[in-house]
Amino acid sequence: MIWSLQVLRLVAALMVVYLHAALTAFQATGSSGVLPPEIQIAGTAGVDIFFVISGVIITRTGRNLTWQQFAWKRLRRIVPIYYLASIPAAFVAAKAGFGWREVVTTITLWPALDVMTAPILPVAWTLCFEMLFYGAATLVLFDRRFLPLLLGLFAISCAFRSAGPVFQFIGNPIIIEFLIGVALAFAPPFRAALWGIPLGATAILIAGPLGITPFGDTIDFLLGKEAFQRVLVYGVPAGLIVYGTMQVRAERSIWTYLGDGSYTLYLFHTFPISLFLTLWNAFPLAPDIIILLELLPQCYFHGGFMSASRGPCWRRLGGRELAQSAPLMISSRTAFPCPRPTE
């Protein structure tokens, strides 16, 4: 396992949580607080970092599995908790109403129907691409001759995206971010790549002030509007950050443990934030206080959920061992040796 990437997963999830908390604070107060919106929007790149990490991890782990093992492992990890998160989302969405398209997309995570349709759980638009990538990886594991066919299908679909939702979805340029991760999975250790972390982070942070940040809603993301721009503005820097993080020597710690559960944090974080908005409308506070009060409980309950769901593992990290392992151990003297990871 590349433990440093587990920590980066946690950071990426918290970037998304921070962005939504900042948007809530702005809705409640009309102010963004100390940091301007042009900086806060950088939290969007948490998703792009997730996509690149996914490309790395799936490539590393998949080549050691049969296609049946890979498919079952992915489904078992992704689908149950996603369906669980979709239940409260359905109750919330029922107030405004939804149709058969939303139901089909929510169940299948295939948004390209007669019109592009988002899942009932809004943040699950990213899972549509994750499942598309897993499906492609499963085919390649079944028979490697599918690889050039799939790449050709992606290129053709990308060129004819105006033909309809199916082409827009499977030809969405954001898929390039997964391919960046695939390429990084085969990249050798490179000490100087550590500089990619500050360089990538800086590129993401200055995108807003430079006015080059891609914008859009869930449907826009699925359609791929400004997706090429997103790959350049966020995807490439995300690749630099991920490759740099792969050079970091990290040991298992409380941070890697929480990073392993970042998927759960990502799926469920919008529910408490929505509840908080009602509270802030009734009892307004300073925007930065609102952001802080939304971030801290998320981290606390995320840790509590991980503790409850994986109690024995949590206890093995407890006591003296936890105290010793809590700091992230980093060594920049040698690049990460890239052992066979597991997920």
Side-chain angles (χ1 to χ4, degrees):
M1 171 59 71
I2 305 178
W3 295 113
S4 55
L5 289 186
Q6 291 291 75
V7 180
L8 185 59
R9 274 178 166 173
L10 177 61
V11 173
L14 290 176
M15 287 172 64
V16 178
V17 175
Y18 170 79
L19 173 65
H20 291 158
L23 291 173
T24 301
F26 183 81
Q27 285 181 280
T29 67
S31 172
S32 61
V34 173
L35 295 179
E38 293 81 7
I39 296 295
Q40 293 175 338
I41 196 65
T44 304
V47 167
D48 306 86
I49 293 173
F50 266 127
F51 285 166
V52 177
I53 292 176
S54 184
V56 174
I57 297 298
I58 295 308
T59 304
R60 289 288 190 87
T61 59
R63 61 191 181 190
N64 299 301
L65 301 172
T66 66
W67 69 269
Q68 299 99 323
Q69 291 171 331
F70 174 82
W72 172 244
K73 192 173 183 179
R74 289 295 92 201
L75 289 173
R76 185 180 60 187
R77 179 179 176 89
I78 298 298
V79 173
I81 192 69
Y82 159 66
Y83 282 158
L84 181 62
S86 296
I87 294 173
F91 282 104
V92 174
K95 296 179 180 179
F98 54 83
W100 66 268
R101 295 181 182 86
E102 287 76 15
V103 173
V104 170
T105 299
T106 298
I107 294 174
T108 64
L109 286 173
W110 179 265
L113 305 178
D114 57 329
V115 295
M116 193 67 75
T117 307
I120 292 173
L121 180 64
V123 296
W125 72 269
T126 61
L127 297 188
C128 296
F129 290 106
E130 289 279 356
M131 295 303 289
L132 184 65
F133 180 56
Y134 298 159
T138 301
L139 287 175
V140 172
L141 288 173
F142 175 73
D143 190 332
R144 294 189 181 278
R145 288 175 293 184
F146 276 110
L147 179 58
L149 295 177
L150 291 171
L151 291 175
L153 178 61
F154 169 66
I156 292 172
S157 299
C158 195
F160 292 94
R161 290 175 59 236
S162 60
V166 173
F167 289 90
Q168 290 168 329
F169 179 52
I170 63 178
N172 194 312
I174 205 169
I175 294 172
I176 295 173
E177 296 181 353
F178 289 99
L179 299 179
I180 291 174
V182 172
L184 292 179
F186 294 98
F190 183 51
R191 179 181 174 183
L194 284 166
W195 286 102
I197 299 175
L199 288 175
T202 301
I204 289 171
L205 284 172
I206 65 174
L210 290 178
I212 58 175
T213 302
F215 291 98
D217 56 20
T218 302
I219 295 298
D220 292 332
F221 299 151
L222 290 169
L223 290 172
K225 292 183 178 179
E226 300 185 1
F228 277 116
Q229 180 181 349
R230 179 167 187 156
V231 170
L232 291 174
V233 173
Y234 287 151
V236 172
L240 291 174
I241 292 171
V242 171
Y243 190 35
T245 303
M246 291 170 66
Q247 316 309 311
V248 175
R249 182 179 297 276
E251 298 178 359
R252 188 174 64 173
S253 70
I254 187 64
W255 309 113
T256 63
Y257 183 65
L258 292 175
D260 187 49
S262 58
Y263 171 60
T264 304
L265 175 62
Y266 174 77
L267 284 184
F268 283 92
H269 77 276
T270 57
F271 299 118
I273 284 181
S274 297
L275 293 175
F276 275 127
L277 179 58
T278 303
L279 179 63
W280 308 139
N281 286 331
F283 305 97
L285 296 173
D288 294 301
I289 299 297
I290 289 177
I291 295 172
L292 184 63
L293 290 178
E294 291 189 1
L295 280 174
L296 292 180
Q298 295 272 17
C299 296
Y300 176 81
F301 286 112
H302 173 54
F305 176 83
M306 292 294 293
S307 177
S309 62
R310 302 183 183 182
C313 182
W314 183 271
R315 287 193 293 272
R316 284 198 295 271
L317 282 173
R320 181 180 302 178
E321 185 177 348
L322 175 60
Q324 293 172 347
S325 65
L328 174 62
M329 304 302 295
I330 298 177
S331 172
S332 60
R333 290 175 294 179
T334 58
F336 195 85
C338 300
R340 179 176 67 87
T342 59
E343 186 179 51

